[in-house]
DNA sequence: AACTCTAGAGAGTGTCACTATCCAATGTCG
DNA sequence: CGACATTGGATAGTGACACTCTCTAGAGTT
């Protein structure tokens, strides 16, 4: 198919498809002449993935490129792909060396072991720092309960990774890591709304 | 204190403080003359809150203004403040009427009741739509497990709301709703990293 | 008197994700 | 065959956003 059909089938403007091609988010089509290229079903699928990462996933073009690079590298291990996805996710704008102590203590109590320079660890420390700066320092009890719930989810995420092929597993990890975040946040808000309705009945 | 000291104490440039004043994120200081105004401790605290919402909280200036409006309205009910915070949060770029069915079915199974036009519900539907578009449609089992974990957290969030004064409660709700999201996401990523290390041992 | 600081307003900056325009070279259709 | 549309590729422009800079007149400080 030509670029116009690729654009039509995905609802993405042609100019934008060209932009993604230039930015390396979408592989080049097969050139059939100096002014013609052919695109296939895999381009449709890839383009949809790109749009999902950029839109709901909330990634920047640069971060999406990094994520997709992991998807495209055939010899990536699953664990490495997870790391790549985590590095690509917007953590908290790490300014200066945040205080990692409270973050580490949560991990210790849970028995979790992660890389020394894990971006998620830095992100957690930054988020805690922000809470303290806003005058709402979280207690260890609160963090532990959050960690327990998060642990259940993370455990399940990893357990579900398919073992068929590495490429399939890597794609699964990347998509689920990024695109299930908004799902989790939305569910938390819905749970809050329901709990709030029950606790403050008069306010509806 | 003067604006320069307010800026120095919070580490925010004077020009930026002025910008926040203009945008209505920070209340005006008490004018002591045509070219002088006085700021107090509450301004320091508010400015830190603004920075937390804009930075780690990930809110835009417009959304932060909406959130702070709820904090500033003295007769806000706690439930309404939660709603205001939810509306201000970036959901998923709601394009067109997404399919709410799967989202609603999760709520039904959990017994949660929320407003018909709850922004969180729309956000959930949008996030599910994105997953389907990316070719990774989530199963109901997966959603239920996510919902169970999210329910635990949302329940706790609401249970912890202080009952002293409405103003205090509203501030608590807003801060925790917004600033605990990055904490939850970071903890999930850490749990994934730990689980991944255990499941794919060779890859570290 | 010299100097620094202020409030307030307007304009400028850098980044980002597109979006529009051009060009020459093909395709396609009648 | 020829009119017309489309393409790849490159360059430039756009609009939103969060600052950031500059300017002015006035006021406090030394």
């Amino acid at each position: 198919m030509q670029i116009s059909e690729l654009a039509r089938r995905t609802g993405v403007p042609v100019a934008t498809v060209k932009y993604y091609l230039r930015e390396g988010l979408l592989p080049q089509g097969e050139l059939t002449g100096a002014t013609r290229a052919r695109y296939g079903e895999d381009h449709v699928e890839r383009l949809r993935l790109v749009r999902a990462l950029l839109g709901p996933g909330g990634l920047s073009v640069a971060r999406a490129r990094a994520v997709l690079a992991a998807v495209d590298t055939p010899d990536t291990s699953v664990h490495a792909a997870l790391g790549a996805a985590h590095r690509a996710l917007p953590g908290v704008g790490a300014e200066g060396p945040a205080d990692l102590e409270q973050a580490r203590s949560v991990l210790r109590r849970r028995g979790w072991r992660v890389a020394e320079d894990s971006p998620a660890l830095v992100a957690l420390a930054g988020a805690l720092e922000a809470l303290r700066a806003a005058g709402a320092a979280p207690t260890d009890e609160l963090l532990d309960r959050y960690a327990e719930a998060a642990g259940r989810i993370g455990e399940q995420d990893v357990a579900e990774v398919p073992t068929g092929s590495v490429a399939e597993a890597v794609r699964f990890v990347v998509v689920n890591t990024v695109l299930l975040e908004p799902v989790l946040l939305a569910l938390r808000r819905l749970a809050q709304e329901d709990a709030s309705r029950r606790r403050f009945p008069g306010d509806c």
Side-chain angles (χ1 to χ4, degrees), chain A:
Chain A
M1 88 191 73
Q2 306 200 139
I3 197 172
S4 54
E5 190 181 346
L6 176 60
R8 195 174 39 71
R9 279 191 48 194
T10 54
V12 179
V14 172
T16 306
V17 175
K18 285 185 173 184
Y19 170 64
Y20 293 158
L21 286 166
R22 258 192 326 254
E23 291 292 327
L25 301 181
L26 207 55
Q28 298 292 334
E30 182 194 350
L31 284 172
T32 63
T35 67
R36 221 41 58 129
R38 195 161 42 215
Y39 304 91
E41 287 306 313
D42 48 341
H43 284 91
V44 174
E45 194 187 334
R46 174 62 164 252
L47 185 47
R48 286 204 238 267
L49 174 59
V50 167
R51 290 294 269 196
L53 293 180
L54 293 183
L59 300 194
S60 68
V61 167
R63 289 181 188 281
R65 187 167 35 228
V67 167
L68 292 167
V71 172
D72 292 335
T73 308
D75 61 339
T76 313
S77 74
V78 176
H79 191 72
L82 186 72
H86 284 177
R87 268 191 302 281
L89 286 168
V92 173
E95 52 208 271
D99 176 18
L100 296 179
E101 194 33 53
Q102 195 181 17
R104 276 199 220 279
S105 75
V106 176
L107 298 197
R108 268 199 304 275
R109 286 194 298 276
R110 291 258 118 210
W112 292 351
R113 278 176 47 208
V114 302
E116 191 62 24
D117 59 344
S118 166
L121 182 59
V122 178
L124 177 57
L128 295 177
E129 193 76 32
L131 274 160
R132 284 191 288 266
T139 63
D140 281 347
E141 284 77 16
L142 178 126
L143 288 180
D144 285 345
R145 277 189 292 244
Y146 265 66
E148 193 198 328
R152 223 178 287 266
I153 290 173
E155 194 73 39
Q156 182 195 342
D157 288 334
V158 171
E160 283 197 333
V161 173
T163 51
S165 77
V166 174
E168 187 196 3
V170 167
R171 191 191 144 93
F172 179 93
V173 160
V174 165
V175 169
N176 274 24
T177 301
V178 177
L179 295 182
L180 282 178
E181 292 201 344
V183 170
L184 176 57
L185 295 185
L187 285 170
R188 171 178 176 247
R189 291 181 209 163
L190 288 167
Q192 286 178 341
E193 190 176 338
D194 178 66
S196 163
R197 178 184 57 76
R198 283 184 279 110
R199 181 168 176 202
F200 307 104
D203 297 351
C204 305

